[in-house]
Amino acid sequence: MNTLATKKAPPVTLPIRYIVTGIVSYFIAQLAMLLWPDKLLTGPVLRPETISLVHLLTLGWASMVVIGVLYQMIPVLLQVDLHREDVGRFLFWPALIGVSTLIVGFRIWNTTVIATGGTITTLSFFAYGWNMRGTLLNVKAWSRQGFAMLAGLVFFMLTVLWGFMMTLTLRFGFLGSSLGGLLGSHIAMGFIGWFTLMIFGVAYRLVPMFALSHGFTESRQLPAILLLGGGTFLFIARAFWPGIPGWTGATLVMVAFLLFALDVRTIFKHRRRRKLELVSRFSAASVVAGITVFALIWGRFLAGQGSWLDDERVLIAAGYMALLGWISLMIVGHLYKIIPFLAWLHRYGDKAGKEAVPLLRELFNRKVSEACFWLLVIGTGMVFIGILAGLGLLTRLSLLATLAGTLAFAYNVWEMVQPKEAKN
Amino acid sequence: MGRVVELDNRGLEPPEPMMRILDALETMGDGDTLVARNDRQPMFLYPELEERGYAHRTEPMDGGGYRITVWKAGKERP
Protein backbone atom coordinates (compact mmCIF):
# COMPACT_ATOMS: atom_id res chain seq x y z
CA MET A 1 0.00 0.00 0.00
CA ASN A 2 1.47 3.32 -1.00
CA THR A 3 -1.30 5.83 -0.56
CA LEU A 4 -0.03 9.18 0.59
CA ALA A 5 -3.44 10.61 1.41
CA THR A 6 -3.24 10.51 5.17
CA LYS A 7 -6.50 9.60 6.79
CA LYS A 8 -6.13 12.50 9.22
CA ALA A 9 -6.21 15.34 6.70
CA PRO A 10 -9.53 16.14 4.94
CA PRO A 11 -9.85 16.06 1.13
CA VAL A 12 -8.51 19.10 -0.68
CA THR A 13 -11.96 20.50 -1.52
CA LEU A 14 -12.60 21.53 2.11
CA PRO A 15 -9.64 23.91 2.62
CA ILE A 16 -9.46 25.10 -0.98
CA ARG A 17 -12.93 26.72 -1.00
CA TYR A 18 -11.95 28.92 1.95
CA ILE A 19 -8.55 29.72 0.45
CA VAL A 20 -9.96 30.70 -2.96
CA THR A 21 -12.57 32.97 -1.32
CA GLY A 22 -9.73 34.57 0.62
CA ILE A 23 -7.66 35.27 -2.49
CA VAL A 24 -10.67 36.83 -4.29
CA SER A 25 -11.26 39.11 -1.25
CA TYR A 26 -7.56 40.05 -1.19
CA PHE A 27 -7.72 41.08 -4.84
CA ILE A 28 -10.96 43.09 -4.40
CA ALA A 29 -9.44 44.86 -1.38
CA GLN A 30 -6.31 45.85 -3.34
CA LEU A 31 -8.47 47.08 -6.21
CA ALA A 32 -10.73 49.06 -3.84
CA MET A 33 -7.75 50.82 -2.31
CA LEU A 34 -6.44 51.82 -5.71
CA LEU A 35 -9.81 53.24 -6.73
CA TRP A 36 -10.24 55.17 -3.48
CA PRO A 37 -10.22 58.92 -3.51
CA ASP A 38 -7.14 60.43 -1.86
CA LYS A 39 -9.05 61.72 1.14
CA LEU A 40 -9.61 58.14 2.30
CA LEU A 41 -5.88 57.71 2.63
CA THR A 42 -5.55 60.63 5.02
CA GLY A 43 -8.47 59.90 7.36
CA PRO A 44 -10.60 60.04 9.35
CA VAL A 45 -10.18 56.35 10.03
CA LEU A 46 -13.69 55.54 11.15
CA ARG A 47 -15.81 55.84 8.03
CA PRO A 48 -17.96 53.30 6.18
CA GLU A 49 -15.41 52.69 3.41
CA THR A 50 -12.54 51.97 5.82
CA ILE A 51 -14.59 49.76 8.13
CA SER A 52 -15.86 47.82 5.12
CA LEU A 53 -12.35 47.43 3.68
CA VAL A 54 -10.85 46.36 7.01
CA HIS A 55 -13.46 43.59 7.33
CA LEU A 56 -12.94 42.53 3.73
CA LEU A 57 -9.27 42.05 4.61
CA THR A 58 -9.67 40.57 8.09
CA LEU A 59 -12.72 38.34 7.52
CA GLY A 60 -12.92 37.87 3.75
CA TRP A 61 -9.17 37.38 3.21
CA ALA A 62 -7.20 36.51 6.34
CA SER A 63 -9.82 34.67 8.41
CA MET A 64 -11.13 32.67 5.45
CA VAL A 65 -7.61 31.54 4.53
CA VAL A 66 -6.65 30.76 8.12
CA ILE A 67 -9.86 28.74 8.61
CA GLY A 68 -9.16 26.77 5.43
CA VAL A 69 -5.51 26.20 6.31
CA LEU A 70 -6.40 25.13 9.87
CA TYR A 71 -8.87 22.55 8.56
CA GLN A 72 -5.91 21.07 6.72
CA MET A 73 -3.12 21.70 9.23
CA ILE A 74 -4.68 20.96 12.62
CA PRO A 75 -5.25 17.26 11.81
CA VAL A 76 -1.70 16.95 10.44
CA LEU A 77 0.16 19.06 13.02
CA LEU A 78 -1.76 17.92 16.11
CA GLN A 79 -2.37 14.32 14.95
CA VAL A 80 -6.13 14.35 15.40
CA ASP A 81 -9.17 13.69 13.20
CA LEU A 82 -11.54 16.54 12.32
CA HIS A 83 -14.61 16.43 14.53
CA ARG A 84 -17.15 16.96 11.73
CA GLU A 85 -15.72 17.40 8.26
CA ASP A 86 -19.22 17.63 6.71
CA VAL A 87 -20.10 20.51 9.06
CA GLY A 88 -16.93 22.34 7.97
CA ARG A 89 -17.94 21.83 4.35
CA PHE A 90 -21.47 23.17 4.96
CA LEU A 91 -20.42 26.10 7.19
CA PHE A 92 -18.53 27.67 4.32
CA TRP A 93 -21.80 28.91 2.80
CA PRO A 94 -23.31 30.77 5.79
CA ALA A 95 -19.84 32.20 6.51
CA LEU A 96 -19.57 33.48 2.92
CA ILE A 97 -23.10 34.96 2.99
CA GLY A 98 -22.65 36.48 6.46
CA VAL A 99 -19.26 38.06 5.74
CA SER A 100 -20.38 39.43 2.33
CA THR A 101 -23.55 40.93 3.85
CA LEU A 102 -21.56 42.50 6.67
CA ILE A 103 -19.03 44.06 4.29
CA VAL A 104 -21.77 45.45 2.01
CA GLY A 105 -23.66 46.67 5.10
CA PHE A 106 -20.62 48.62 6.30
CA ARG A 107 -20.05 50.10 2.85
CA ILE A 108 -23.63 51.39 2.42
CA TRP A 109 -23.86 51.99 6.18
CA ASN A 110 -27.24 50.40 6.69
CA THR A 111 -27.48 49.23 10.32
CA THR A 112 -30.14 46.61 9.54
CA VAL A 113 -27.89 45.02 6.89
CA ILE A 114 -24.88 45.29 9.24
CA ALA A 115 -26.76 43.59 12.10
CA THR A 116 -28.10 40.87 9.75
CA GLY A 117 -24.64 40.16 8.30
CA GLY A 118 -23.14 40.30 11.79
CA THR A 119 -25.64 37.76 13.09
CA ILE A 120 -25.09 35.25 10.25
CA THR A 121 -21.29 35.70 10.49
CA THR A 122 -21.34 35.20 14.26
CA LEU A 123 -23.48 32.07 14.07
CA SER A 124 -21.34 30.45 11.38
CA PHE A 125 -18.02 31.30 13.07
CA PHE A 126 -19.31 30.10 16.44
CA ALA A 127 -20.33 26.85 14.77
CA TYR A 128 -16.79 26.70 13.37
CA GLY A 129 -15.46 27.23 16.91
CA TRP A 130 -17.70 24.43 18.16
CA ASN A 131 -16.38 22.13 15.41
CA MET A 132 -12.78 23.01 16.32
CA ARG A 133 -13.53 22.49 20.02
CA GLY A 134 -14.74 18.97 19.20
CA THR A 135 -11.56 18.39 17.20
CA LEU A 136 -9.15 19.78 19.79
CA LEU A 137 -10.73 17.79 22.64
CA ASN A 138 -9.26 14.68 21.00
CA VAL A 139 -5.69 15.99 20.89
CA LYS A 140 -3.49 13.70 22.94
CA ALA A 141 -0.13 15.46 22.84
CA TRP A 142 -0.23 19.25 23.29
CA SER A 143 2.72 21.24 22.01
CA ARG A 144 3.55 24.93 22.45
CA GLN A 145 2.44 25.51 18.89
CA GLY A 146 -0.86 23.73 19.48
CA PHE A 147 -1.42 25.84 22.58
CA ALA A 148 -0.84 29.05 20.58
CA MET A 149 -3.35 27.89 17.95
CA LEU A 150 -5.91 27.09 20.65
CA ALA A 151 -5.44 30.51 22.29
CA GLY A 152 -5.72 32.15 18.86
CA LEU A 153 -9.03 30.39 18.24
CA VAL A 154 -10.36 31.51 21.64
CA PHE A 155 -9.45 35.11 20.81
CA PHE A 156 -11.11 34.67 17.41
CA MET A 157 -14.37 33.70 19.12
CA LEU A 158 -14.08 36.69 21.50
CA THR A 159 -13.38 39.05 18.58
CA VAL A 160 -16.49 37.79 16.80
CA LEU A 161 -18.57 38.12 19.98
CA TRP A 162 -17.35 41.70 20.53
CA GLY A 163 -18.08 42.55 16.90
CA PHE A 164 -21.55 41.00 17.22
CA MET A 165 -22.32 43.17 20.26
CA MET A 166 -21.17 46.23 18.34
CA THR A 167 -23.35 45.49 15.30
CA LEU A 168 -26.38 45.03 17.59
CA THR A 169 -25.54 48.27 19.37
CA LEU A 170 -25.38 50.08 16.05
CA ARG A 171 -28.84 48.77 15.19
CA PHE A 172 -30.63 48.72 18.55
CA GLY A 173 -28.36 50.84 20.79
CA PHE A 174 -28.44 48.39 23.70
CA LEU A 175 -24.93 49.10 24.95
CA GLY A 176 -25.40 52.84 24.79
CA SER A 177 -22.23 54.87 24.38
CA SER A 178 -19.67 52.21 25.36
CA LEU A 179 -18.88 51.43 21.71
CA GLY A 180 -15.47 53.15 21.88
CA GLY A 181 -14.13 50.86 24.62
CA LEU A 182 -15.45 47.80 22.80
CA LEU A 183 -13.82 48.89 19.56
CA GLY A 184 -10.31 49.12 21.08
CA SER A 185 -10.47 45.64 22.55
CA HIS A 186 -12.15 44.26 19.38
CA ILE A 187 -9.15 45.43 17.36
CA ALA A 188 -6.60 44.16 19.91
CA MET A 189 -8.25 40.74 20.15
CA GLY A 190 -8.58 40.36 16.41
CA PHE A 191 -5.21 41.68 15.32
CA ILE A 192 -2.99 40.51 18.18
CA GLY A 193 -4.96 37.66 19.80
CA TRP A 194 -6.36 36.00 16.70
CA PHE A 195 -4.02 36.69 13.78
CA THR A 196 -0.67 37.34 15.43
CA LEU A 197 -0.92 34.54 17.99
CA MET A 198 -2.14 32.14 15.33
CA ILE A 199 0.76 33.12 13.04
CA PHE A 200 3.19 32.51 15.95
CA GLY A 201 1.76 29.01 16.45
CA VAL A 202 1.71 28.05 12.77
CA ALA A 203 5.04 29.71 11.92
CA TYR A 204 6.91 28.07 14.80
CA ARG A 205 5.94 24.78 13.17
CA LEU A 206 6.10 25.54 9.47
CA VAL A 207 9.08 27.91 9.16
CA PRO A 208 11.59 25.25 10.40
CA MET A 209 9.81 22.62 8.30
CA PHE A 210 10.06 24.62 5.08
CA ALA A 211 13.59 25.93 5.72
CA LEU A 212 14.72 22.44 6.84
CA SER A 213 15.98 23.77 10.13
CA HIS A 214 16.70 21.88 13.32
CA GLY A 215 18.80 22.26 16.46
CA PHE A 216 17.90 25.92 17.15
CA THR A 217 16.90 27.03 20.64
CA GLU A 218 13.17 26.78 21.35
CA SER A 219 13.36 28.37 24.81
CA ARG A 220 11.93 31.73 23.66
CA GLN A 221 8.81 30.26 22.05
CA LEU A 222 6.67 29.82 25.15
CA PRO A 223 7.59 33.25 26.64
CA ALA A 224 6.75 34.88 23.29
CA ILE A 225 3.37 33.12 23.13
CA LEU A 226 2.51 33.92 26.78
CA LEU A 227 3.60 37.56 26.53
CA LEU A 228 1.54 38.05 23.39
CA GLY A 229 -1.53 36.47 25.00
CA GLY A 230 -0.97 38.49 28.20
CA GLY A 231 -0.64 41.73 26.22
CA THR A 232 -3.89 41.01 24.38
CA PHE A 233 -5.57 40.28 27.68
CA LEU A 234 -4.43 43.66 29.09
CA PHE A 235 -5.89 45.40 26.03
CA ILE A 236 -9.22 43.60 26.59
CA ALA A 237 -9.16 44.51 30.30
CA ARG A 238 -8.93 48.19 29.32
CA ALA A 239 -12.48 47.99 27.98
CA PHE A 240 -13.68 47.28 31.52
CA TRP A 241 -11.06 49.18 33.54
CA PRO A 242 -10.01 52.21 31.48
CA GLY A 243 -7.48 53.08 34.21
CA ILE A 244 -5.08 50.41 32.87
CA PRO A 245 -2.50 52.32 30.85
CA GLY A 246 -2.23 51.28 27.19
CA TRP A 247 1.57 51.07 27.31
CA THR A 248 1.42 48.00 29.59
CA GLY A 249 -0.21 45.76 26.99
CA ALA A 250 1.75 47.42 24.18
CA THR A 251 5.06 46.70 25.95
CA LEU A 252 4.28 43.01 26.49
CA VAL A 253 3.26 42.69 22.84
CA MET A 254 6.40 44.51 21.65
CA VAL A 255 8.68 42.22 23.68
CA ALA A 256 6.76 39.15 22.46
CA PHE A 257 7.17 40.21 18.85
CA LEU A 258 10.89 40.90 19.20
CA LEU A 259 11.34 37.42 20.70
CA PHE A 260 9.43 35.95 17.77
CA ALA A 261 11.50 37.93 15.25
CA LEU A 262 14.67 36.72 16.94
CA ASP A 263 13.38 33.14 16.76
CA VAL A 264 12.65 33.40 13.03
CA ARG A 265 16.17 34.73 12.49
CA THR A 266 17.65 31.86 14.53
CA ILE A 267 15.60 29.28 12.60
CA PHE A 268 16.92 30.70 9.31
CA LYS A 269 20.50 30.63 10.63
CA HIS A 270 20.15 26.92 11.44
CA ARG A 271 18.58 26.05 8.11
CA ARG A 272 19.91 23.26 5.93
CA ARG A 273 18.32 24.50 2.71
CA ARG A 274 20.98 26.80 1.32
CA LYS A 275 18.75 28.85 -0.94
CA LEU A 276 15.99 30.74 0.87
CA GLU A 277 12.71 29.68 -0.67
CA LEU A 278 9.93 32.09 -1.55
CA VAL A 279 8.00 31.20 1.61
CA SER A 280 10.99 32.10 3.78
CA ARG A 281 11.62 35.39 1.98
CA PHE A 282 7.96 36.38 2.30
CA SER A 283 8.07 35.44 6.01
CA ALA A 284 11.15 37.63 6.54
CA ALA A 285 9.48 40.61 4.81
CA SER A 286 6.35 40.02 6.86
CA VAL A 287 8.30 40.02 10.14
CA VAL A 288 10.01 43.31 9.21
CA ALA A 289 6.55 44.80 8.53
CA GLY A 290 5.37 43.41 11.87
CA ILE A 291 8.24 45.02 13.81
CA THR A 292 7.37 48.36 12.18
CA VAL A 293 3.71 48.06 13.19
CA PHE A 294 4.30 46.95 16.76
CA ALA A 295 6.95 49.64 17.26
CA LEU A 296 4.45 52.27 16.06
CA ILE A 297 1.76 50.93 18.43
CA TRP A 298 4.24 50.85 21.30
CA GLY A 299 5.48 54.38 20.57
CA ARG A 300 1.91 55.64 20.28
CA PHE A 301 1.03 54.41 23.78
CA LEU A 302 4.29 55.62 25.31
CA ALA A 303 4.01 59.08 23.77
CA GLY A 304 0.33 59.41 24.69
CA GLN A 305 -2.38 61.40 23.00
CA GLY A 306 -1.50 64.47 21.01
CA SER A 307 1.91 63.25 19.83
CA TRP A 308 2.72 62.97 16.14
CA LEU A 309 2.23 59.20 16.46
CA ASP A 310 -1.41 59.89 17.32
CA ASP A 311 -1.97 61.47 13.89
CA GLU A 312 -4.66 59.87 11.70
CA ARG A 313 -2.15 59.41 8.92
CA VAL A 314 0.19 57.38 11.14
CA LEU A 315 -2.79 55.33 12.27
CA ILE A 316 -3.78 54.52 8.68
CA ALA A 317 -0.18 53.74 7.67
CA ALA A 318 0.18 51.42 10.67
CA GLY A 319 -3.16 49.77 9.92
CA TYR A 320 -2.15 49.29 6.29
CA MET A 321 1.19 47.78 7.29
CA ALA A 322 -0.51 45.50 9.85
CA LEU A 323 -3.05 44.08 7.40
CA LEU A 324 -1.21 44.20 4.06
CA GLY A 325 2.33 43.82 5.44
CA TRP A 326 2.55 41.62 8.52
CA ILE A 327 -0.56 39.46 7.99
CA SER A 328 -0.87 39.39 4.19
CA LEU A 329 2.79 38.83 3.25
CA MET A 330 2.97 35.96 5.77
CA ILE A 331 -0.17 34.39 4.29
CA VAL A 332 0.84 34.85 0.64
CA GLY A 333 4.25 33.32 1.35
CA HIS A 334 2.81 30.30 3.10
CA LEU A 335 0.17 29.80 0.40
CA TYR A 336 3.02 29.58 -2.15
CA LYS A 337 4.04 26.43 -0.26
CA ILE A 338 0.71 25.11 1.03
CA ILE A 339 -1.39 25.26 -2.18
CA PRO A 340 1.16 23.47 -4.41
CA PHE A 341 1.62 20.91 -1.64
CA LEU A 342 -2.15 20.29 -1.37
CA ALA A 343 -2.54 20.16 -5.16
CA TRP A 344 0.50 17.88 -5.53
CA LEU A 345 -0.73 15.50 -2.87
CA HIS A 346 -4.22 15.50 -4.34
CA ARG A 347 -3.16 14.81 -7.94
CA TYR A 348 0.10 12.92 -7.69
CA GLY A 349 0.19 11.58 -4.12
CA ASP A 350 -0.78 8.06 -5.17
CA LYS A 351 1.66 7.99 -8.12
CA ALA A 352 4.64 9.53 -6.35
CA GLY A 353 7.45 7.10 -5.72
CA LYS A 354 6.21 4.74 -8.45
CA GLU A 355 6.17 6.78 -11.65
CA ALA A 356 7.40 10.17 -12.84
CA VAL A 357 5.34 13.03 -11.43
CA PRO A 358 5.80 16.82 -11.71
CA LEU A 359 7.94 18.41 -9.01
CA LEU A 360 6.44 20.78 -6.49
CA ARG A 361 8.26 23.75 -7.96
CA GLU A 362 7.05 22.90 -11.46
CA LEU A 363 3.47 23.56 -10.42
CA PHE A 364 3.82 27.33 -10.84
CA ASN A 365 5.75 29.85 -12.90
CA ARG A 366 8.94 30.93 -11.16
CA LYS A 367 9.39 34.20 -13.09
CA VAL A 368 5.85 35.23 -12.14
CA SER A 369 6.43 34.31 -8.49
CA GLU A 370 9.62 36.41 -8.40
CA ALA A 371 7.74 39.38 -9.89
CA CYS A 372 4.94 38.77 -7.40
CA PHE A 373 7.38 38.84 -4.47
CA TRP A 374 9.11 42.08 -5.43
CA LEU A 375 5.91 43.90 -6.50
CA LEU A 376 4.17 42.99 -3.24
CA VAL A 377 7.10 43.61 -0.89
CA ILE A 378 8.47 46.83 -2.41
CA GLY A 379 4.95 48.05 -3.25
CA THR A 380 3.69 47.54 0.31
CA GLY A 381 6.70 49.35 1.78
CA MET A 382 6.25 52.27 -0.62
CA VAL A 383 2.50 52.55 0.08
CA PHE A 384 3.37 52.74 3.78
CA ILE A 385 5.86 55.56 3.16
CA GLY A 386 3.43 57.28 0.78
CA ILE A 387 0.62 57.35 3.34
CA LEU A 388 2.97 58.41 6.15
CA ALA A 389 4.51 61.25 4.14
CA GLY A 390 1.21 62.25 2.51
CA LEU A 391 2.52 61.64 -1.01
CA GLY A 392 -0.62 60.90 -3.02
CA LEU A 393 1.08 60.03 -6.32
CA LEU A 394 3.62 57.67 -4.73
CA THR A 395 0.83 55.96 -2.83
CA ARG A 396 -1.23 55.47 -5.99
CA LEU A 397 1.67 54.13 -8.05
CA SER A 398 2.69 51.76 -5.26
CA LEU A 399 -0.89 50.55 -4.84
CA LEU A 400 -0.82 49.80 -8.58
CA ALA A 401 2.36 47.75 -8.02
CA THR A 402 0.77 45.74 -5.19
CA LEU A 403 -2.32 45.14 -7.32
CA ALA A 404 -0.05 43.80 -10.08
CA GLY A 405 1.68 41.62 -7.49
CA THR A 406 -1.68 40.27 -6.36
CA LEU A 407 -2.62 39.49 -9.98
CA ALA A 408 0.67 37.63 -10.39
CA PHE A 409 -0.14 35.67 -7.25
CA ALA A 410 -3.67 34.85 -8.46
CA TYR A 411 -2.24 33.70 -11.81
CA ASN A 412 0.21 31.39 -10.07
CA VAL A 413 -2.50 29.95 -7.83
CA TRP A 414 -4.45 29.17 -11.01
CA GLU A 415 -1.33 27.46 -12.41
CA MET A 416 -0.85 25.46 -9.20
CA VAL A 417 -4.26 23.82 -9.40
CA GLN A 418 -3.97 22.88 -13.10
CA PRO A 419 -2.90 19.33 -14.04
CA LYS A 420 0.72 19.13 -15.21
CA GLU A 421 2.80 16.61 -17.14
CA ALA A 422 5.94 15.16 -15.58
CA LYS A 423 9.07 16.59 -17.21
CA ASN A 424 11.54 13.97 -16.06
CA MET B 1 22.70 -5.44 -4.12
CA GLY B 2 23.74 -2.42 -2.04
CA ARG B 3 23.60 -1.68 1.65
CA VAL B 4 20.40 -1.27 3.65
CA VAL B 5 20.51 1.73 5.97
CA GLU B 6 18.00 1.61 8.82
CA LEU B 7 16.75 4.69 10.62
CA ASP B 8 14.46 4.83 13.66
CA ASN B 9 12.71 8.20 13.83
CA ARG B 10 10.04 7.23 16.32
CA GLY B 11 9.51 9.71 19.14
CA LEU B 12 11.01 12.61 17.16
CA GLU B 13 9.13 15.82 16.37
CA PRO B 14 8.93 17.22 12.82
CA PRO B 15 10.96 18.35 10.97
CA GLU B 16 13.64 16.12 12.53
CA PRO B 17 12.50 12.78 11.00
CA MET B 18 12.48 14.33 7.54
CA MET B 19 15.87 15.94 8.01
CA ARG B 20 17.42 12.72 9.28
CA ILE B 21 16.14 10.88 6.22
CA LEU B 22 17.50 13.54 3.83
CA ASP B 23 20.84 13.53 5.68
CA ALA B 24 21.07 9.74 5.51
CA LEU B 25 20.40 9.76 1.77
CA GLU B 26 23.40 12.02 1.20
CA THR B 27 25.72 9.38 2.66
CA MET B 28 24.27 6.52 0.60
CA GLY B 29 25.46 5.03 -2.66
CA ASP B 30 23.24 4.63 -5.74
CA GLY B 31 22.41 0.99 -5.07
CA ASP B 32 21.71 1.46 -1.36
CA THR B 33 18.29 1.39 0.27
CA LEU B 34 17.01 3.39 3.21
CA VAL B 35 14.38 1.98 5.56
CA ALA B 36 13.01 4.51 8.06
CA ARG B 37 10.46 4.04 10.81
CA ASN B 38 8.34 7.11 11.59
CA ASP B 39 5.44 7.82 13.94
CA ARG B 40 3.69 9.84 11.22
CA GLN B 41 3.61 9.83 7.46
CA PRO B 42 6.30 12.35 6.42
CA MET B 43 4.02 14.31 4.10
CA PHE B 44 6.49 17.11 3.43
CA LEU B 45 9.25 14.62 2.67
CA TYR B 46 7.69 13.13 -0.48
CA PRO B 47 8.12 16.20 -2.71
CA GLU B 48 11.73 16.49 -1.46
CA LEU B 49 12.39 12.87 -2.46
CA GLU B 50 10.91 13.45 -5.92
CA GLU B 51 13.12 16.48 -6.32
CA ARG B 52 16.22 14.45 -5.46
CA GLY B 53 15.28 11.60 -7.79
CA TYR B 54 14.31 8.90 -5.32
CA ALA B 55 11.57 6.30 -5.51
CA HIS B 56 9.83 5.39 -2.28
CA ARG B 57 7.17 3.29 -0.63
CA THR B 58 5.24 3.80 2.61
CA GLU B 59 3.63 0.98 4.57
CA PRO B 60 1.74 1.15 7.86
CA MET B 61 3.39 -0.97 10.57
CA ASP B 62 1.65 -3.27 13.00
CA GLY B 63 1.10 -1.42 16.25
CA GLY B 64 1.20 2.05 14.67
CA GLY B 65 3.71 4.11 12.74
CA TYR B 66 4.96 3.81 9.18
CA ARG B 67 7.84 2.14 7.38
CA ILE B 68 9.26 4.28 4.57
CA THR B 69 11.54 2.61 2.04
CA VAL B 70 13.61 4.88 -0.21
CA TRP B 71 15.86 3.95 -3.13
CA LYS B 72 17.36 5.69 -6.16
CA ALA B 73 14.77 5.89 -8.96
CA GLY B 74 15.56 3.57 -11.89
CA LYS B 75 17.42 1.10 -9.69
CA GLU B 76 16.02 -2.27 -8.78
CA ARG B 77 13.00 -2.15 -6.46
CA PRO B 78 13.93 -3.50 -3.02
Side-chain angles (χ1 to χ4, degrees):
Chain A
M1 191 182 104
N2 191 14
T3 169
L4 298 186
T6 159
K7 61 178 186 300
K8 299 270 183 223
V12 68
T13 49
L14 174 58
I16 213 74
R17 66 182 66 190
Y18 288 94
I19 293 173
V20 167
T21 306
I23 295 171
V24 171
S25 304
Y26 182 48
F27 179 74
I28 297 174
Q30 298 269 25
L31 189 64
M33 278 188 289
L34 184 65
L35 300 176
W36 265 6
D38 281 337
K39 60 182 178 184
L40 278 174
L41 292 171
T42 54
V45 177
L46 283 180
R47 55 201 303 161
E49 294 88 340
T50 339
I51 299 174
S52 176
L53 176 75
V54 165
H55 286 85
L56 179 60
L57 284 166
T58 53
L59 294 176
W61 157 235
S63 293
M64 283 290 185
V65 171
V66 174
I67 286 173
V69 168
L70 287 183
Y71 269 131
Q72 176 70 27
M73 286 295 163
I74 283 197
V76 176
L77 293 182
L78 302 180
Q79 285 297 293
V80 65
D81 284 318
L82 276 184
H83 179 54
R84 289 287 297 269
E85 190 194 310
D86 53 341
V87 172
R89 210 170 278 283
F90 165 77
L91 279 177
F92 169 75
W93 300 106
L96 181 66
I97 293 166
V99 169
S100 314
T101 310
L102 186 66
I103 291 164
V104 171
F106 281 137
R107 181 64 186 82
I108 60 174
W109 203 257
N110 177 322
T111 53
T112 307
V113 179
I114 294 173
T116 309
T119 307
I120 304 172
T121 303
T122 305
L123 288 176
S124 55
F125 283 164
F126 273 16
Y128 167 74
W130 168 82
N131 201 7
M132 277 296 146
R133 177 186 167 276
T135 304
L136 294 173
L137 278 177
N138 293 323
V139 174
K140 289 184 190 76
W142 278 98
S143 56
R144 284 183 296 273
Q145 298 90 356
F147 171 68
M149 291 180 207
L150 171 70
L153 281 169
V154 170
F155 281 124
F156 180 37
M157 293 299 114
L158 285 173
T159 313
V160 172
L161 180 66
W162 252 237
F164 182 52
M165 290 197 291
M166 283 194 283
T167 59
L168 290 190
T169 299
L170 279 178
R171 177 67 187 83
F172 304 106
F174 84 109
L175 284 173
S177 57
S178 58
L179 216 53
L182 279 182
L183 179 66
S185 43
H186 177 68
I187 295 172
M189 281 180 224
F191 174 56
I192 308 171
W194 164 226
F195 292 121
T196 304
L197 200 51
M198 184 57 75
I199 293 177
F200 275 26
V202 175
Y204 273 139
R205 207 69 204 241
L206 291 187
V207 172
M209 194 99 83
F210 294 154
L212 290 181
S213 182
H214 176 69
F216 50 87
T217 172
E218 297 181 14
S219 58
R220 286 185 296 257
Q221 292 189 7
L222 193 61
I225 291 165
L226 291 176
L227 284 170
L228 196 71
T232 314
F233 184 76
L234 280 177
F235 275 117
I236 300 173
R238 264 163 59 87
F240 302 99
W241 299 284
I244 299 174
W247 61 263
T248 51
T251 305
L252 294 195
V253 168
M254 185 76 229
V255 174
F257 201 84
L258 288 177
L259 290 178
F260 173 75
L262 198 59
D263 274 337
V264 172
R265 190 166 164 269
T266 315
I267 291 170
F268 283 160
K269 275 196 158 175
H270 280 76
R271 74 180 193 274
R272 199 72 54 82
R273 205 188 282 285
R274 265 163 297 158
K275 197 169 159 288
L276 270 186
E277 280 188 303
L278 206 54
V279 57
S280 304
R281 287 154 62 203
F282 265 113
S283 304
S286 156
V287 172
V288 171
I291 291 178
T292 313
V293 174
F294 287 103
L296 282 175
I297 296 173
W298 191 51
R300 150 79 182 69
F301 281 106
L302 280 189
Q305 276 180 351
S307 77
W308 69 273
L309 283 168
D310 205 24
D311 194 83
E312 290 269 346
R313 207 181 267 169
V314 179
L315 227 55
I316 294 176
Y320 174 85
M321 204 57 161
L323 295 172
L324 281 310
W326 161 233
I327 296 175
S328 296
L329 294 180
M330 186 64 84
I331 293 179
V332 170
H334 278 76
L335 288 182
Y336 258 111
K337 195 83 190 190
I338 290 172
I339 300 177
F341 179 70
L342 288 179
W344 189 87
L345 221 50
H346 174 68
R347 284 193 200 283
Y348 315 110
D350 285 338
K351 294 181 202 146
K354 295 182 214 153
E355 54 186 273
V357 294
L359 302 179
L360 215 48
R361 60 181 152 83
E362 289 168 358
L363 294 194
F364 60 88
N365 185 315
R366 209 183 137 266
K367 279 193 185 124
V368 174
S369 69
E370 280 300 310
C372 167
F373 175 78
W374 291 110
L375 284 168
L376 280 181
V377 171
I378 303 284
T380 305
M382 295 309 268
V383 172
F384 174 73
I385 292 170
I387 296 174
L388 213 52
L391 301 170
L393 185 64
L394 176 69
T395 311
R396 287 295 184 85
L397 287 176
S398 312
L399 280 170
L400 196 62
T402 57
L403 184 71
T406 308
L407 264 179
F409 175 56
Y411 168 80
N412 257 344
V413 170
W414 173 253
E415 280 285 310
M416 290 169 200
V417 297
Q418 300 305 310
K420 298 274 189 310
E421 291 290 325
K423 281 184 188 157
N424 45 352
Chain B
M1 196 65 191
R3 285 186 305 150
V4 175
V5 180
E6 301 228 8
L7 209 54
D8 190 351
N9 291 327
R10 285 172 295 188
L12 298 176
E13 281 293 301
E16 212 184 344
M18 161 159 124
M19 294 183 60
R20 281 168 55 111
I21 291 173
L22 294 176
D23 284 350
L25 290 175
E26 280 181 18
T27 67
M28 286 170 31
D30 268 1
D32 297 349
T33 306
L34 175 79
V35 178
R37 287 173 179 77
N38 278 25
D39 288 328
R40 319 166 186 205
Q41 280 200 58
M43 308 305 282
F44 288 103
L45 171 74
Y46 300 126
E48 302 282 341
L49 292 179
E50 295 293 329
E51 193 130 331
R52 289 164 174 75
Y54 287 97
H56 49 94
R57 180 173 67 220
T58 302
E59 299 144 305
M61 295 190 296
D62 296 333
Y66 296 88
R67 182 189 299 111
I68 302 111
T69 312
V70 186
W71 65 98
K72 198 79 191 170
K75 296 283 169 189
E76 194 189 340
R77 226 181 136 88

